[in-house]
């Protein structure tokens, strides 16, 4: 059994566990109290703040602990927007930010603010020029992740921070995926992160607001954590979070080389082992442990179940997973195939032989799902030069499978119209065309759903 | 050494510790994932929710876990106000609510809402009639604690819930202090609580919203916890919270009798052991473990230090504590003496001999502080019939000490004018008059601060 979903959460680091246990006895009291139990709790909290600040590369009084990374993002964005409300209400985010950032952007828009979503390229990277172009005189805040959580692509944070700084606009960096690997370089203004991504416990996030950044906490506040995180401090978890951050950093240089080699191996071998696969994300500028690919004619949920049965826990940005019927906004923004999507994110310590076993299992698992769904093998009889495929009511990946089955039935130069009301088709039919060297003509409104028109080129 | 500040936080219950340790290994993964680690986490979360709901007396789908009691209160009030925004923007709170409730009320007022603070009597209890009288056609929400956190007085929640229900107004109950002792009776609509008050870990609150209550979560939300608590669930802590709630409930009946006997002993013996003491809070309708008193001519912070040195950790609502220069809003609302205030809140399991030792130590500690501050003993020479005491720039309890020193210097019928710019004087000079049988004439504006006028009656 191998857990390959580190980008979602990793098991508690042994150092975190040890620190948590030790501070359950020492850190349960109210650190604002004057008696010994309170003073002891305060000392632990102060020491954890110093350690975390050192790891981030900021002053201790710039860093507060929140109850989660999501809360750090929400508080950070809200406070920075309010602090610069006089300047304006324009917010810039990339289109591949974590949902916590995009939810805040939605809330900001619902409250009358304006939002620019900066597009990314096919690798998932935002361009510095796009951020520069999005800056306006009324821009209150820009947000950019240090690295993407679904495809691992690193973002040009330092360069974006520079153009923001030149325009007098603070940059908030969501460093959730990268903080365990190292400091975020560049002259950013705010930073958010989450402990359970680096092997710390759940329930701890951190928010850094650089001195000099205008910041106005919103809603009800209290005297705790500089008025930026209301509620009783969770000191045992905070201590464990800080201790494990130091511990993973000590191992980071060596472990990143090792994991990078393992993900490079997956990147190279998956297309050999599995036909009709698109590996996504930047091959070079990326996190060490994440590798993501999409498999044509495969339904993500079924593939995940197959891999789970074979002992591998991975994640998927496909639609057709239990909780959602729309594909990941990240894959959508990148314009890559979303069907049969698999994100492999290796936790530190992953054994090479587990990766080998995964590669062995994968091709069989994909083939099995394709067989069940009746994916096309080869069958070409020319009939007409305009062919309509009715995939209404059918979910991803069926529309693409049906398209692939009939494309050989029209002559070269002929077209196939796929009728579909599945959200994923809008992304996956063009992606299929690109992979297959066919022409994607476009989408037309239909009585129900849309008609996706494809011209056979070969 | 004895920790007597359970109302602030209690050490982790052994059952919580056990449950936390067990679920660190089982509950770290994302419960929304489909693979085995995710399913295991989901099962733990579901079981904890069932257990907590059973303890509260609600349906499992009415209860969400938040990151703290404060967060539960904030989210609950905000969501309930927004859900009934069409009805109006009037909020009712008692004047002795926890600061998390009052901070939300402030934020609501700052945002254009209106707030009625219901007064309490000298025991700290709010009257049902006061709530009934505060209800208006535009009342969106009423809030009332189950019991007060500083003086232990129980509130008439069931009766207030009834008048609110009759008016169609939801009642939110802050049950932080009482949930470990038992269910909150009555037909309330929302309920908030905090695990570290009952021996659970920090970092877990709970929010109950009864079916049928209009509720609109505010700000950025995600799909977790029914959209009412954004951010990755802290499952090990949640499991520990639920397990310890069951455990303390199993011990509650017996332990409440024992603690009630111990606090009754303190209530009876403190006035015998220490001269010039006012015991505050309702002597009958109160939590088992809390007993609060104020000592004339004593500065709270110094007394706390003395008691800490003698091995007792207690809390104080006095001004002159490290973080604040204003007396507790609770004591203020009750109109009782705030100087030299001590809250003793016994955790379950407190030994009788520790209470005995506390009573032995207390009188010496109070006498020591009084001696240091030069509290009055007796010295009466009649000089004039209007005497001015300049206590400007002096902090509590000095103004009262100086008043007490000179009251014998004016003839019966004569007055003393105490000039003071200390916030606590406004509360403590009238309270002193009541304790001493002197007449408090009133407060007059002065060049700096105020003049507090006292007439000698005896």
């Amino acid at each position: 059994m191998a857990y390959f979903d580190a980008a979602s959460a990793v098991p508690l680091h042994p150092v975190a566990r040890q620190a948590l246990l030790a501070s359950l006895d020492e850190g349960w009291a109210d650190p604002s109290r004057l008696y010994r139990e309170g003073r002891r709790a305060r000392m632990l909290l102060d020491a954890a703040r110093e350690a975390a600040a050192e790891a981030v590369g900021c002053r201790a009084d710039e860093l507060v602990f929140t109850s989660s990374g999501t809360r750090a993002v929400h508080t950070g964005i809200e406070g920075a927007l309010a602090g610069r409300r006089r300047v304006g209400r324009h917010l810039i985010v990339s289109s591949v930010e974590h949902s916590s950032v995009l939810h805040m952007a939605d809330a900001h828009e619902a409250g009358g603010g304006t939002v620019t979503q900066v597009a990314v390229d096919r690798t998932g990277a935002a361009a510095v020029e796009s951020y520069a172009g999005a800056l306006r005189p009324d821009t209150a805040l820009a947000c950019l992740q240090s690295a993407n959580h679904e495809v691992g692509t690193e973002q040009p944070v330092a360069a974006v921070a520079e153009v923001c700084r030149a325009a007098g606009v603070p940059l908030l960096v969501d460093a959730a995926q990268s903080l365990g690997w190292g400091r975020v370089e560049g002259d950013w203004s705010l930073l958010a992160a989450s402990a359970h991504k680096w092997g710390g416990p759940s329930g701890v996030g951190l928010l850094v607001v650089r001195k000099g950044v205008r910041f106005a906490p919103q809603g009800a506040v209290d005297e705790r954590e500089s008025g930026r995180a209301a509620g009783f401090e969770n000191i045992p978890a905070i201590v464990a979070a800080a201790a494990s951050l130091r511990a993973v950093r000590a191992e980071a240089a060596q472990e990143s080389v090792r994991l990078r080699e393992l993900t490079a191996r997956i990147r190279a071998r998956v297309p050999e082992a599995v036909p009709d696969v698109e590996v996504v994300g930047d091959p070079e500028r990326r996190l060490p442990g994440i590798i993501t690919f999409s498999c044509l004619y495969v339904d993500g949920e079924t593939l995940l179940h197959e891999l789970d049965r074979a002992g591998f826990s991975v994640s998927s940005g496909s639609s057709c997973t239990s909780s959602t019927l729309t594909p990941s906004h990240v894959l959508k923004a990148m314009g890559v195939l979303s069907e049969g999507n698999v994100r492999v994110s290796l936790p530190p310590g992953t054994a090479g032989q587990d990766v080998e076993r995964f590669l062995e299992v994968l091709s069989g698992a994909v083939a099995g799902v394709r067989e069940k769904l009746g994916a096309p093998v080869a069958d070409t009889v020319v009939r007409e030069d305009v062919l309509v495929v009715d995939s209404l009511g059918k979910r991803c990946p069926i529309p693409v499978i049906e398209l692939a089955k009939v494309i050989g039935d029209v002559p070269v130069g002929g077209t196939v119209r796929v009728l579909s009301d599945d959200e994923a088709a809008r992304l996956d039919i063009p992606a299929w065309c690109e992979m297959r060297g066919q022409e994607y003509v476009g989408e037309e409104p239909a009585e129900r759903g849309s008609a996706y028109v494809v011209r056979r080129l070969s």
Side-chain angles (χ1 to χ4, degrees), chain A:
Chain A
M1 298 205 302
Y3 176 79
F4 284 175
D5 196 23
S8 167
V10 295
L12 208 57
H13 192 283
V15 166
R17 192 188 178 90
Q18 222 169 14
L20 183 67
L21 290 190
S23 52
L24 284 177
D25 294 329
E26 298 285 315
W28 54 267
D30 186 341
S32 64
R33 298 293 177 186
L34 303 170
Y35 43 69
R36 81 196 60 209
E37 293 86 353
R39 296 194 304 268
R40 226 154 48 192
R42 165 65 55 193
M43 272 165 40
L44 287 175
L45 179 59
D46 289 347
R49 197 186 315 279
E50 290 285 346
E54 205 279 327
V56 169
C58 68
R59 290 166 41 165
D61 60 356
E62 294 174 330
L63 184 150
V64 300
F65 294 105
T66 64
S67 59
S68 67
T70 294
R71 179 59 59 192
V73 163
H74 291 179
T75 303
I77 294 179
E78 215 171 36
L81 285 173
R84 285 175 48 85
R85 180 143 184 179
R86 282 190 184 184
V87 172
R89 302 196 65 197
H90 179 233
L91 169 68
I92 302 174
V93 299
S94 87
S95 54
V96 295
E97 294 299 311
H98 186 263
S99 57
S100 58
V101 173
L102 297 181
H103 288 151
M104 271 309 294
D106 290 346
H108 180 59
E109 238 172 356
T114 55
V115 176
T116 299
Q117 276 210 9
V118 168
V120 295
D121 64 19
R122 223 178 142 78
T123 72
V128 182
E129 301 70 38
S130 309
Y131 267 81
L135 288 164
R136 308 193 318 209
D138 65 337
T139 303
L141 177 69
C143 300
L144 179 59
Q145 62 197 184
S146 54
N148 186 267
H149 51 297
E150 285 196 30
V151 300
T153 300
E154 289 178 342
Q155 303 291 357
V157 167
V160 169
E162 211 178 304
V163 301
C164 287
R165 180 70 61 174
V169 171
L171 178 70
L172 181 146
V173 180
D174 169 13
Q177 288 298 331
S178 76
L179 199 66
W181 295 112
R183 290 184 178 181
V184 176
E185 300 301 328
D187 197 8
W188 45 265
S189 296
L190 301 102
L191 180 144
S194 173
H196 74 103
K197 305 281 190 195
W198 70 62
S202 306
V204 183
L206 53 85
L207 171 63
V208 179
V209 182
R210 292 279 198 201
K211 286 285 153 203
V213 173
R214 281 181 192 282
F215 194 84
Q218 295 304 286
V221 292
D222 60 23
E223 75 288 357
R224 299 184 190 269
E225 292 297 290
S226 311
R228 292 177 184 167
F232 197 82
E233 296 93 340
N234 186 355
I235 295 180
I238 286 171
V239 169
S244 54
L245 182 55
R246 288 174 74 138
V248 297
R249 282 292 187 79
E251 302 153 0
Q254 204 178 341
E255 194 60 19
S256 71
V257 172
R258 220 177 59 78
L259 289 191
R260 190 172 285 277
E261 195 279 316
L262 291 178
T263 45
R265 203 189 297 179
I266 298 174
R267 174 173 277 276
R269 297 259 301 277
V270 161
E272 294 166 12
V274 181
D276 298 327
V277 155
E278 183 175 11
V279 180
V280 299
D282 194 297
E284 297 301 325
R285 289 183 48 88
R286 63 182 176 87
L287 291 170
I290 299 186
I291 178 78
T292 304
F293 52 87
S294 300
C295 310
L296 261 183
Y297 318 135
V298 167
D299 129 43
E301 182 154 352
T302 311
L303 181 56
L304 256 50
H305 276 308
E306 289 300 318
L307 291 172
D308 179 44
R309 279 175 47 190
F312 293 95
S313 300
V314 297
S315 170
S316 173
S318 291
S319 60
C320 328
T321 50
S322 63
S323 52
T324 173
L325 287 171
T326 53
S328 134
H329 69 275
V330 173
L331 302 176
K332 217 161 148 179
M334 292 165 65
V336 296
L337 186 72
S338 83
E339 68 183 36
N341 179 261
V342 173
R343 176 184 70 183
V344 175
S345 54
L346 307 178
T350 297
Q353 68 208 44
D354 282 341
V355 170
E356 282 303 321
R357 220 163 43 76
F358 174 74
L359 287 167
E360 282 162 28
V361 160
L362 180 68
S363 65
V366 172
V369 176
R370 283 179 177 162
E371 203 184 315
K372 256 190 260 177
L373 291 172
V377 184
D379 167 31
T380 43
V381 185
V382 179
R383 280 188 220 132
E384 320 170 42
D385 65 347
V386 176
L387 205 148
V388 176
V389 175
D390 181 356
S391 288
L392 290 167
K394 294 174 187 164
R395 295 259 168 248
C396 143
I398 302 299
V400 175
I401 289 178
E402 295 190 331
L403 164 62
K405 275 189 175 161
V406 301
I407 190 76
D409 293 358
V410 296
V412 169
T415 55
V416 179
R417 296 170 65 84
V418 184
L419 302 179
S420 172
D421 50 6
D422 182 46
E423 180 64 23
R426 182 167 294 134
L427 182 57
D428 289 342
I429 289 175
W432 179 88
C433 291
E434 183 152 335
M435 288 173 77
R436 276 290 172 268
Q438 308 294 358
E439 184 189 343
Y440 178 64
V441 180
E443 176 181 347
E444 292 167 10
E447 208 170 318
R448 259 179 72 202
S450 295
Y452 299 93
V453 183
V454 175
R455 176 167 295 118
R456 182 177 173 191
L457 296 186
S458 59

